[in-house]
Amino acid sequence: MRATVSWQDAPPDRDGLRSVCYDVAYKPDGSQLVTGLGNRVLVYGCQDGALLHSLKAHKDAVYAVSWSFEGSRFASGGADKTIIIWTSEAEGILKYNHNESVQCLAFNPCLMQLASATASDFGLWAPEQKSVQKHKVSSKVLCMGWTKDGQHLALGQYDGCVSVRDRTGGEKVKIQRGAPVWSLAWNPNKRETHDVMAVGCWDGTLSFYQLNGMQVGDDTRLGFDPCSVSYFGGGDYVVVGGTDKMARLCSKEGTVLTTLCERGSWVWCARARPGHNAIAVGSEDGSISTHTLTFSTVHGMYKELYAYRDLMTDVIVQQLETDQKVRIRCKDYVKKIAVYKDKLAVQLPDKLVIYQKIESDDPDDMQYRMMTTIEDDLKCNLLVITSHHVILCMEKKLLLYTMEGKKERTWSMDSVIRYIKVNGGPEKGEGVLVGLKDGMCLKIFIDNDFPMELVNHGASVRCLDMSAFRKKLAVVDDNSAVVVYDVKTKAVLFEGKGANSVAFNSVYEDMFCYAGDGILSIKTADFPVHTQNLEGFAVGFKASKIYCLHNISMQTVVVPHSWSVKNYIKKGDFDGAYAVACLGVTNKDFMNLGLAAHWGMNLEVARKCFIRCRDMKYIDLVADTEEGLKKGEPPFMFRALSLAYQRKFHEAAKEYAEGGRADKAMEMFTDMRMFDEAKVWAEEYAKTHGGGDISLTDFVNRQAEWAEETSDYESAVNMYVQAKKFEKAVALVGKNNWRDKLVEIMRVLDVKDDAKVIQQCAGHFARWGDSSHAKEAYNKLGDHAGLMTLHVQQNQWDDAFALLKQHPEYAEKVHLPYANWLADNDRFDEARVAYRVAGRSEMSTRMLEQLTLNAVLMRRFKDAGYYYWLMSEEAADSLPKDSRALLSDDDEAKLVRFHELKDRSEIYYAYDYVFRAMEEPFSSCLPSTLLNIGQFLLSKFATHDEMPMGISLSYVLITIAKHGEALGAYKLARFAYNKLQSLRIPAAWQAEVDLASVVARSRPNVDGDDLLPLCFRCSTTNPLVSVKGDVCINCGGHFVRSFVTFEHLPMVEFHLADDMSAKEARRLINEDPPNKASGSGRGGGGDVLDSGGDQRMMFDDGTGDVKLDDAFAQQMVAPNSLIVCDRDMLRNLSPSEVVIRPSGCAVVKPRYYRLMDADAPVTVDDAGNLYETDEYELACLEQGRTPFTRKGVNSDAEQDNYAMVPEPETPPASQGKKKPGWGTARAVGTVRGLEFGK
């Protein structure tokens, strides 16, 4: 960089005072400069240094001046202890005094606040204050400065102390230096994260501090005492002036960069001009000068890699294509830069540093490391670097150094070297282009001592470049002329004017650019030069990107090569045009090139262009053209087709006509629905070929298609009908829902020829819900299957079944859809029947399974029990109907499923009472009934390995515990509480269960005698719960419970002899006993209960208690053995004493019981469940149906095949806040782990 004097002034001494310039200040807009000389305040115009005002208001020397932040006022102060506030028009408006000489002034950069300081105090003035606030200091204040936000003020004192104060004058930070602090300044750069202060001390140092007092970096030894420190360039640099009579430029870190000017005496002040690269310098001899600073560009470039100097001490390497940058901090003045491939050379004042790019798998990684350093001040004019060497240019010599600093070779030229550039080549053998002042252009190979002459241009060379294939050399001279030479023949290929730089395209041999006079010129092959406006130097050219250096910034300019492509097209060189287009043009240019190449039948270039445009239409056109040309078709056919694709229809028609194919033109216009033009070309074709008119039907059909495309559907329908295109007419009518029009078309259609169209008509009628016309269409066709489908789709089941009677072969089309419809409408029982009729029992089972799962999830357990029973019936239906049939493995599995489903139905049915009693606030069940249900469920659980889904063992146990304790079953209650404590239960219930368990232990560990069940076979008293299940602990006889109160029924089970069938047994039971008189026979007795419906036993024959002297009684007293009745024993039993319990399955034998109490009649339902007759009848009356099987109470009424499904027995559980659920037993893997009775 260099500094030039803009203007200077040296006013003479006046009024007996020596003129010394202690301080200067610029107006914030940079238009005026104020200073104090002697006792006068001078105001200069910055543009030309004109003296605007000479103000005499002080009585002694002026030491300090300062401008306000908005430029409306400035202040002056000096040895007369007075401070004067001036307007920008140099009018004094305010004066106030200190007790001693005013040493320095500083306006707040954000507020109208002025700070002033003397040897003993400093003051703060603001317009809104009535008086100046003054604060004492420990030593003489020599300088001061505000932070950029105006919140803190730093004072530099004679004793070496820097005191940082807030806006009110309070001290915040104190920094102690070892010498007087004569100058300080805060960095005004708002991008800095911290406030940084530069401090100049008279120990010859420059140091930097943060606002908190922490020093930034080390002290910089200046070699002189600094009298002035100020920031320049927005805070990027520091200007220092002092006792060495110079003003120097330093980096913001303190590195001394260069000398700006040298004066005749000490430099007391140096300030930067706002918004300009200029400074004002004031000296001890009273002279004032302003200097303009010019920053030169220090840079290097290799292809797309550009390195340049930033902030005088940093190097930035930029990848121009990706705009990625990396900053290298050299921490010293950067003088020269050179870059080549992965090497970077940086010349500093006393050494040459070489960096190498760090190898990385990431191509975008641009990290550099220091490779080597040549510790020597290698002075040079130009610097370039190769892969292993450094080349320095010194006037007429080129010096080749290794990376270690060893000089290997020297080339001496006959003239001053003006330009050098590394032109690539193998490692350690790179070539260098050299341009001399005498016009000689040379090429040097670094491994050769002898330069090679390229051309003798005859004028001083300014810039050189060589083409990609090294065949052409471009030269720019000092006359701004650009000349391109053929390297081999030395012939001039091109000459131009107004150039300051030139660059060949690095990827295309026949293209280069040059810049100058604000114009960028691009030359391609032998075509005219293309120009556009561009300021700067063209330093690189790759594909469509030109790298232009303007001032100190590098710009990437994208230039499309459309004009070059057009010139190649005009020339007919489609390959050359495509090569240039690949450098960078728009899609439109590629399309134009593709069309031109297709016209010229260069199909390879055409295909490449269309592929780039991703236009499948034209790609297919090229393929069709290739195929057609192979078949011998003339090229004009495909040229015309190309014109048609471009919507140039008339040109295409003319091309067809010139080739003698006017019929193609006619066809094209017909396809385009341009019927008037088509008729014209049809007539032309008729003239040239003597006929060939297109048929009326074909024209009408095409017109109809056109009417359809233009949404004139009514006209299209009429024309389609006229052209007998009924299928298209019906499709349009159906699309527009024109019912009447469709009826008209349907009735004129012929069944023989247009059956498919009539079928479509029927489909449209069905879609509209017009059953009558749909039936008419199907009847016209005689399509009974379609008619049946119509009834099914319309849910017209009465009509469907009526038609089914006439055509039973369509049964499958009716029953299954009907069953699905019933299921969708929640008519599940009817759906079950319908599925079975349709032969799809598996769908019925699947439906029941889903209903069961939903019922369990919604906690409708009685409904779940009912559905399980229905599934057991379906499982029974799938088994053989002959009880004597041999069962296969599959039948055995079905039988197991039957028993499991029936067992689950009983469990869920009983559990529903427990669940409702726990969940609902009121329950209609008696405590004794709930206790019986709990015993029944525990006996069921004892025979199961796991709990059924949704059932809580805890609910059962808590029910037993509470009601057992209330009814006197203390032992059972204690057992239940013990088991509850081993389960995971809600924390809120734990305390209650623990307390109840303790209370239960305080009661007798016995159950009430009236609660203990009595075995009606052996008269043994049984515990309430047994590990064996619901059987007698003595004789092993099974207890039978009523499915209303779940009490034990007075019944004893017996079995038939092996040689006796069920039919014979029923006959023997109905016979009169041989030991009873005929008059007192069983005519008044009730019928034997069987599975033929729910029946009631009437004990009106006067039979009393069973006597124990018969054979039956004798077998009863034998424990753990079956009671087997032979024929004589059955004859002796009264029908009123026998209950036959159906199994519900043909392969499972019914069970036989003897009623032991004549006063307790029993009823059995279809599921085989037993009830006390009175309880059963009451339940039927309350519910309006049987409790378990949900049959109607009127068993004689005929029931429809598809009966309505009953409403759920129990409503869904409350949807409110769900209570905590009960868990499973702790440390118990299965339900069998419950040890009853302990």
Side-chain angles (χ1 to χ4, degrees), residues 564-626:
S564 298
V565 173
K566 293 177 182 178
N567 288 328
Y568 275 112
I569 292 174
K570 291 178 182 178
K571 187 179 179 181
D573 184 359
F574 299 111
D575 292 322
Y578 181 76
V580 173
C582 290
L583 301 181
V585 295
T586 63
N587 278 349
K588 184 178 179 181
D589 293 323
F590 271 112
M591 179 59 70
N592 292 335
L593 175 56
L595 293 173
H598 181 267
W599 188 271
M601 291 297 133
N602 190 330
L603 301 183
E604 185 62 29
V605 171
R607 179 186 294 105
K608 293 178 181 178
C609 293
F610 295 144
I611 289 175
R612 282 209 175 234
C613 296
R614 299 183 180 182
D615 195 321
M616 290 303 301
K617 177 177 63 176
Y618 284 101
I619 295 174
D620 293 340
L621 174 62
V622 173
D624 294 341
T625 303
E626 285 182 336

Coordinates of all heavy atoms in Angstrom, one line a residue, residues 564-626:
S564 N -22.6 -18.0 -29.3 CA -21.7 -18.9 -30.0 C -22.4 -20.2 -30.5 O -22.1 -20.6 -31.6 CB -20.6 -19.4 -29.0 OG -19.8 -18.3 -28.5
V565 N -23.4 -20.6 -29.8 CA -24.2 -21.8 -30.2 C -24.9 -21.4 -31.5 O -25.0 -22.2 -32.5 CB -25.1 -22.3 -29.1 CG1 -26.1 -23.4 -29.7 CG2 -24.4 -22.8 -27.9
K566 N -25.5 -20.2 -31.5 CA -26.2 -19.8 -32.7 C -25.3 -19.7 -33.9 O -25.7 -20.0 -35.1 CB -26.9 -18.4 -32.4 CG -28.0 -18.5 -31.4 CD -28.6 -17.2 -31.1 CE -29.7 -17.3 -30.1 NZ -30.3 -15.9 -29.7
N567 N -24.1 -19.2 -33.7 CA -23.1 -19.1 -34.8 C -22.8 -20.4 -35.4 O -22.6 -20.6 -36.6 CB -21.9 -18.3 -34.4 CG -22.2 -16.8 -34.2 OD1 -23.0 -16.2 -34.9 ND2 -21.5 -16.2 -33.2
Y568 N -22.5 -21.4 -34.5 CA -22.2 -22.7 -34.9 C -23.4 -23.3 -35.7 O -23.2 -24.1 -36.7 CB -21.9 -23.6 -33.7 CG -20.4 -23.5 -33.3 CD1 -20.1 -23.0 -32.1 CD2 -19.4 -24.0 -34.1 CE1 -18.7 -22.9 -31.7 CE2 -18.1 -24.0 -33.7 CZ -17.7 -23.4 -32.5 OH -16.4 -23.3 -32.1
I569 N -24.6 -23.1 -35.2 CA -25.8 -23.6 -35.9 C -25.9 -23.0 -37.3 O -26.2 -23.7 -38.3 CB -27.1 -23.3 -35.1 CG1 -27.1 -24.1 -33.8 CG2 -28.3 -23.6 -35.9 CD1 -28.3 -23.8 -32.9
K570 N -25.7 -21.7 -37.4 CA -25.7 -21.1 -38.8 C -24.6 -21.7 -39.7 O -24.9 -21.8 -40.9 CB -25.4 -19.6 -38.6 CG -26.6 -18.8 -38.0 CD -26.2 -17.3 -37.8 CE -27.3 -16.6 -37.1 NZ -27.0 -15.1 -36.9
K571 N -23.5 -22.0 -39.1 CA -22.5 -22.6 -39.8 C -22.8 -24.1 -40.2 O -22.1 -24.7 -41.1 CB -21.2 -22.5 -39.0 CG -19.9 -23.0 -39.8 CD -18.7 -22.8 -38.9 CE -17.4 -23.2 -39.5 NZ -16.2 -23.1 -38.6
G572 N -23.7 -24.7 -39.5 CA -24.0 -26.1 -39.7 C -23.1 -27.0 -39.0 O -23.2 -28.3 -39.2
D573 N -22.4 -26.5 -38.0 CA -21.5 -27.4 -37.3 C -22.2 -27.7 -35.9 O -22.0 -27.0 -34.9 CB -20.2 -26.6 -37.0 CG -19.1 -27.5 -36.2 OD1 -19.5 -28.6 -35.9 OD2 -18.0 -27.0 -36.0
F574 N -23.0 -28.7 -36.0 CA -23.8 -29.1 -34.8 C -23.0 -29.7 -33.7 O -23.3 -29.5 -32.5 CB -24.9 -30.0 -35.2 CG -25.9 -29.4 -36.2 CD1 -25.9 -29.9 -37.5 CD2 -26.7 -28.4 -35.9 CE1 -26.8 -29.4 -38.5 CE2 -27.6 -27.8 -36.8 CZ -27.6 -28.3 -38.1
D575 N -21.9 -30.4 -34.0 CA -21.0 -31.0 -33.0 C -20.3 -29.9 -32.3 O -20.2 -29.9 -31.0 CB -20.0 -31.9 -33.7 CG -20.7 -33.2 -34.2 OD1 -21.6 -33.7 -33.6 OD2 -20.3 -33.6 -35.3
G576 N -19.8 -28.9 -33.0 CA -19.2 -27.7 -32.3 C -20.2 -27.0 -31.5 O -19.9 -26.5 -30.4
A577 N -21.4 -26.8 -32.0 CA -22.4 -26.1 -31.2 C -22.7 -26.8 -29.9 O -22.9 -26.2 -28.9 CB -23.7 -25.9 -32.1
Y578 N -22.8 -28.2 -30.0 CA -23.1 -28.9 -28.8 C -21.9 -28.8 -27.8 O -22.1 -28.7 -26.6 CB -23.4 -30.4 -29.1 CG -23.7 -31.2 -27.9 CD1 -25.0 -31.1 -27.3 CD2 -22.8 -32.1 -27.4 CE1 -25.3 -31.9 -26.2 CE2 -23.1 -32.9 -26.3 CZ -24.3 -32.8 -25.7 OH -24.6 -33.5 -24.6
A579 N -20.7 -28.9 -28.3 CA -19.5 -28.8 -27.4 C -19.6 -27.4 -26.7 O -19.3 -27.4 -25.5 CB -18.2 -28.9 -28.2
V580 N -19.9 -26.3 -27.4 CA -20.0 -25.0 -26.7 C -21.2 -25.0 -25.8 O -21.1 -24.4 -24.7 CB -20.0 -23.9 -27.7 CG1 -20.3 -22.6 -27.1 CG2 -18.8 -23.8 -28.5
A581 N -22.3 -25.6 -26.2 CA -23.5 -25.6 -25.3 C -23.2 -26.3 -24.0 O -23.8 -25.9 -23.0 CB -24.6 -26.2 -26.1
C582 N -22.4 -27.3 -24.0 CA -22.1 -28.0 -22.8 C -21.3 -27.1 -21.8 O -21.3 -27.5 -20.6 CB -21.3 -29.3 -23.1 SG -22.3 -30.5 -23.9
L583 N -20.7 -26.1 -22.3 CA -20.0 -25.1 -21.3 C -21.0 -24.4 -20.5 O -20.7 -24.0 -19.4 CB -19.2 -24.2 -22.1 CG -18.1 -24.8 -23.0 CD1 -17.3 -23.7 -23.7 CD2 -17.1 -25.7 -22.2
G584 N -22.2 -24.2 -21.0 CA -23.2 -23.5 -20.2 C -24.1 -22.6 -21.0 O -23.8 -21.5 -21.4
V585 N -25.3 -23.2 -21.3 CA -26.4 -22.4 -21.9 C -27.7 -22.8 -21.3 O -27.7 -23.7 -20.5 CB -26.4 -22.7 -23.5 CG1 -25.2 -22.2 -24.2 CG2 -26.7 -24.2 -23.7
T586 N -28.7 -22.1 -21.6 CA -30.0 -22.4 -21.1 C -30.7 -23.6 -21.7 O -30.2 -24.0 -22.8 CB -31.0 -21.2 -21.2 OG1 -31.2 -20.9 -22.6 CG2 -30.3 -19.9 -20.6
N587 N -31.7 -24.1 -21.1 CA -32.5 -25.2 -21.7 C -33.1 -24.8 -23.0 O -33.2 -25.7 -23.9 CB -33.6 -25.7 -20.7 CG -33.0 -26.6 -19.6 OD1 -31.9 -27.1 -19.7 ND2 -33.8 -26.8 -18.6
K588 N -33.4 -23.6 -23.2 CA -34.0 -23.1 -24.4 C -33.0 -23.2 -25.5 O -33.3 -23.6 -26.7 CB -34.5 -21.7 -24.3 CG -35.2 -21.1 -25.5 CD -35.7 -19.7 -25.3 CE -36.4 -19.2 -26.6 NZ -36.9 -17.8 -26.4
D589 N -31.7 -22.9 -25.2 CA -30.7 -23.0 -26.2 C -30.4 -24.4 -26.6 O -30.2 -24.8 -27.8 CB -29.4 -22.4 -25.7 CG -29.5 -20.9 -25.5 OD1 -30.1 -20.2 -26.3 OD2 -28.9 -20.4 -24.5
F590 N -30.5 -25.3 -25.6 CA -30.3 -26.8 -25.9 C -31.5 -27.2 -26.8 O -31.3 -28.0 -27.7 CB -30.3 -27.6 -24.7 CG -28.9 -27.8 -24.1 CD1 -28.5 -27.2 -22.9 CD2 -28.0 -28.6 -24.8 CE1 -27.2 -27.4 -22.5 CE2 -26.7 -28.7 -24.3 CZ -26.3 -28.1 -23.2
M591 N -32.7 -26.7 -26.5 CA -33.8 -27.1 -27.3 C -33.7 -26.6 -28.8 O -34.0 -27.4 -29.7 CB -35.1 -26.6 -26.7 CG -36.4 -26.9 -27.4 SD -36.7 -28.7 -27.6 CE -37.1 -29.1 -25.9
N592 N -33.3 -25.4 -28.9 CA -33.1 -24.8 -30.3 C -32.0 -25.6 -31.0 O -32.2 -25.9 -32.2 CB -32.7 -23.4 -30.2 CG -33.9 -22.5 -29.7 OD1 -35.1 -22.9 -29.8 ND2 -33.6 -21.4 -29.1
L593 N -30.9 -25.9 -30.3 CA -29.9 -26.7 -31.0 C -30.4 -28.1 -31.4 O -30.1 -28.6 -32.5 CB -28.7 -26.8 -30.0 CG -27.5 -27.7 -30.5 CD1 -27.0 -27.3 -31.9 CD2 -26.4 -27.8 -29.5
G594 N -31.2 -28.7 -30.5 CA -31.7 -30.0 -30.8 C -32.6 -30.0 -32.0 O -32.6 -30.9 -32.9
L595 N -33.5 -29.0 -32.1 CA -34.4 -28.9 -33.2 C -33.6 -28.6 -34.5 O -33.9 -29.2 -35.6 CB -35.4 -27.7 -33.0 CG -36.4 -28.0 -31.8 CD1 -37.2 -26.7 -31.6 CD2 -37.3 -29.1 -32.2
A596 N -32.6 -27.8 -34.4 CA -31.8 -27.5 -35.6 C -31.0 -28.8 -36.1 O -30.9 -29.1 -37.3 CB -30.8 -26.4 -35.4
A597 N -30.5 -29.5 -35.1 CA -29.7 -30.7 -35.4 C -30.7 -31.8 -36.0 O -30.3 -32.5 -36.9 CB -29.0 -31.3 -34.2
H598 N -31.9 -31.8 -35.5 CA -32.9 -32.8 -36.0 C -33.2 -32.4 -37.5 O -33.4 -33.2 -38.4 CB -34.1 -32.8 -35.2 CG -35.2 -33.8 -35.7 ND1 -36.2 -33.4 -36.5 CD2 -35.4 -35.1 -35.4 CE1 -37.0 -34.4 -36.8 NE2 -36.5 -35.5 -36.1
W599 N -33.4 -31.1 -37.7 CA -33.7 -30.6 -39.1 C -32.6 -31.0 -40.0 O -32.8 -31.4 -41.2 CB -33.9 -29.1 -39.1 CG -34.4 -28.6 -40.4 CD1 -33.7 -28.2 -41.4 CD2 -35.8 -28.5 -40.8 NE1 -34.5 -27.8 -42.4 CE2 -35.8 -27.9 -42.1 CE3 -37.0 -28.7 -40.1 CZ2 -37.0 -27.7 -42.8 CZ3 -38.2 -28.5 -40.8 CH2 -38.2 -27.9 -42.1
G600 N -31.3 -30.8 -39.5 CA -30.2 -31.2 -40.3 C -29.9 -32.7 -40.3 O -28.8 -33.1 -40.8
M601 N -30.7 -33.5 -39.6 CA -30.6 -34.9 -39.5 C -29.3 -35.4 -38.8 O -28.8 -36.5 -39.0 CB -30.7 -35.6 -40.9 CG -32.1 -35.5 -41.5 SD -33.3 -36.4 -40.5 CE -34.6 -35.1 -40.4
N602 N -28.8 -34.5 -37.9 CA -27.7 -34.9 -37.0 C -28.4 -35.4 -35.7 O -28.5 -34.7 -34.7 CB -26.8 -33.8 -36.7 CG -25.5 -34.2 -36.0 OD1 -25.5 -35.2 -35.2 ND2 -24.4 -33.5 -36.2
L603 N -28.8 -36.7 -35.8 CA -29.7 -37.2 -34.8 C -29.0 -37.5 -33.4 O -29.6 -37.4 -32.4 CB -30.3 -38.5 -35.3 CG -31.2 -38.4 -36.5 CD1 -31.8 -39.7 -36.9 CD2 -32.2 -37.3 -36.4
E604 N -27.7 -37.7 -33.5 CA -26.9 -38.0 -32.2 C -26.9 -36.7 -31.4 O -27.2 -36.7 -30.2 CB -25.5 -38.4 -32.6 CG -24.7 -38.8 -31.3 CD -25.3 -40.0 -30.6 OE1 -26.0 -40.8 -31.3 OE2 -25.1 -40.1 -29.4
V605 N -26.6 -35.5 -32.0 CA -26.6 -34.3 -31.3 C -28.0 -33.9 -30.8 O -28.2 -33.5 -29.7 CB -26.0 -33.2 -32.1 CG1 -26.2 -31.8 -31.5 CG2 -24.5 -33.4 -32.4
A606 N -29.0 -34.2 -31.7 CA -30.4 -33.9 -31.3 C -30.8 -34.7 -30.1 O -31.4 -34.1 -29.2 CB -31.3 -34.2 -32.5
R607 N -30.4 -36.0 -30.1 CA -30.8 -36.8 -28.9 C -30.2 -36.3 -27.6 O -30.8 -36.2 -26.6 CB -30.4 -38.2 -29.2 CG -30.8 -39.2 -28.0 CD -30.2 -40.6 -28.1 NE -30.9 -41.3 -29.2 CZ -30.3 -41.5 -30.4 NH1 -29.1 -41.1 -30.7 NH2 -31.0 -42.2 -31.4
K608 N -28.9 -35.9 -27.7 CA -28.2 -35.4 -26.5 C -28.9 -34.1 -26.0 O -29.0 -34.0 -24.8 CB -26.7 -35.2 -26.8 CG -25.9 -36.4 -27.1 CD -24.5 -36.0 -27.5 CE -23.6 -37.3 -27.8 NZ -22.3 -36.9 -28.2
C609 N -29.2 -33.3 -26.9 CA -29.9 -32.0 -26.5 C -31.2 -32.3 -25.8 O -31.6 -31.7 -24.8 CB -30.0 -31.1 -27.7 SG -28.5 -30.5 -28.3
F610 N -32.0 -33.1 -26.4 CA -33.3 -33.4 -25.9 C -33.2 -34.2 -24.5 O -34.1 -34.0 -23.7 CB -34.2 -34.2 -26.9 CG -34.5 -33.5 -28.1 CD1 -34.5 -34.1 -29.4 CD2 -34.7 -32.1 -28.1 CE1 -34.8 -33.4 -30.5 CE2 -35.0 -31.4 -29.3 CZ -35.1 -32.1 -30.5
I611 N -32.2 -35.0 -24.4 CA -32.0 -35.7 -23.1 C -31.7 -34.6 -22.0 O -32.2 -34.7 -20.9 CB -30.9 -36.7 -23.3 CG1 -31.4 -37.9 -24.1 CG2 -30.5 -37.2 -21.9 CD1 -30.4 -39.0 -24.4
R612 N -30.9 -33.7 -22.4 CA -30.5 -32.6 -21.4 C -31.8 -31.8 -21.0 O -31.9 -31.4 -19.9 CB -29.5 -31.7 -22.0 CG -28.1 -32.2 -22.0 CD -27.1 -31.1 -21.9 NE -25.8 -31.5 -21.8 CZ -24.9 -31.2 -20.8 NH1 -25.4 -30.3 -19.9 NH2 -23.7 -31.6 -20.8
C613 N -32.7 -31.6 -22.0 CA -33.9 -30.9 -21.7 C -35.0 -31.8 -21.0 O -36.0 -31.3 -20.6 CB -34.5 -30.3 -23.0 SG -33.5 -29.1 -23.7
R614 N -34.7 -33.1 -21.0 CA -35.6 -34.1 -20.4 C -37.0 -34.0 -21.1 O -38.0 -34.1 -20.4 CB -35.8 -33.9 -18.9 CG -34.5 -34.1 -18.1 CD -34.6 -33.9 -16.7 NE -33.4 -34.1 -15.9 CZ -33.3 -34.0 -14.6 NH1 -34.3 -33.8 -13.9 NH2 -32.1 -34.2 -14.1
D615 N -37.0 -33.9 -22.4 CA -38.2 -33.8 -23.1 C -38.4 -35.2 -23.9 O -37.8 -35.4 -24.9 CB -38.1 -32.7 -24.2 CG -39.5 -32.3 -24.7 OD1 -40.3 -33.2 -25.0 OD2 -39.8 -31.1 -24.9
M616 N -39.2 -36.0 -23.3 CA -39.5 -37.3 -23.8 C -40.1 -37.3 -25.2 O -39.9 -38.2 -26.0 CB -40.3 -38.2 -22.8 CG -39.6 -38.5 -21.5 SD -38.1 -39.4 -21.8 CE -38.7 -40.9 -22.7
K617 N -40.9 -36.3 -25.4 CA -41.6 -36.2 -26.7 C -40.6 -36.1 -27.8 O -40.7 -36.9 -28.8 CB -42.5 -35.0 -26.7 CG -43.3 -34.7 -28.0 CD -44.2 -33.5 -27.9 CE -43.4 -32.3 -27.6 NZ -44.3 -31.1 -27.6
Y618 N -39.6 -35.2 -27.7 CA -38.6 -35.1 -28.8 C -37.6 -36.2 -28.8 O -37.1 -36.6 -29.8 CB -37.9 -33.8 -28.6 CG -38.8 -32.6 -29.0 CD1 -39.4 -31.8 -28.1 CD2 -39.0 -32.3 -30.4 CE1 -40.2 -30.7 -28.5 CE2 -39.8 -31.2 -30.8 CZ -40.4 -30.4 -29.8 OH -41.2 -29.4 -30.2
I619 N -37.4 -36.8 -27.6 CA -36.5 -38.0 -27.6 C -37.2 -39.1 -28.4 O -36.5 -39.8 -29.2 CB -36.2 -38.5 -26.1 CG1 -35.4 -37.4 -25.4 CG2 -35.5 -39.8 -26.1 CD1 -35.2 -37.7 -23.9
D620 N -38.5 -39.3 -28.2 CA -39.2 -40.3 -29.0 C -39.2 -39.9 -30.5 O -39.1 -40.8 -31.3 CB -40.6 -40.4 -28.5 CG -40.7 -41.0 -27.1 OD1 -39.7 -41.7 -26.7 OD2 -41.7 -40.8 -26.4
L621 N -39.3 -38.6 -30.8 CA -39.2 -38.2 -32.2 C -37.9 -38.6 -32.8 O -37.9 -39.0 -34.0 CB -39.4 -36.7 -32.2 CG -39.3 -36.0 -33.6 CD1 -40.3 -36.6 -34.6 CD2 -39.4 -34.5 -33.5
V622 N -36.8 -38.4 -32.1 CA -35.5 -38.8 -32.6 C -35.5 -40.3 -32.9 O -35.0 -40.8 -33.9 CB -34.4 -38.4 -31.7 CG1 -33.0 -38.9 -32.2 CG2 -34.3 -36.8 -31.6
A623 N -36.0 -41.1 -31.9 CA -36.0 -42.5 -32.1 C -36.8 -42.9 -33.3 O -36.5 -43.8 -34.1 CB -36.5 -43.2 -30.8
D624 N -38.0 -42.3 -33.4 CA -38.9 -42.6 -34.6 C -38.2 -42.2 -35.9 O -38.3 -42.9 -36.9 CB -40.2 -41.8 -34.4 CG -41.0 -42.4 -33.3 OD1 -40.7 -43.5 -32.8 OD2 -41.9 -41.6 -32.8
T625 N -37.4 -41.1 -35.9 CA -36.8 -40.6 -37.1 C -35.7 -41.7 -37.5 O -35.6 -42.0 -38.7 CB -36.1 -39.3 -36.8 OG1 -37.1 -38.3 -36.4 CG2 -35.5 -38.7 -38.1
E626 N -34.9 -42.1 -36.5 CA -33.9 -43.1 -36.8 C -34.5 -44.4 -37.4 O -34.0 -44.9 -38.4 CB -33.1 -43.5 -35.6 CG -32.1 -42.4 -35.1 CD -31.4 -42.8 -33.9 OE1 -31.9 -43.6 -33.1 OE2 -30.3 -42.3 -33.7

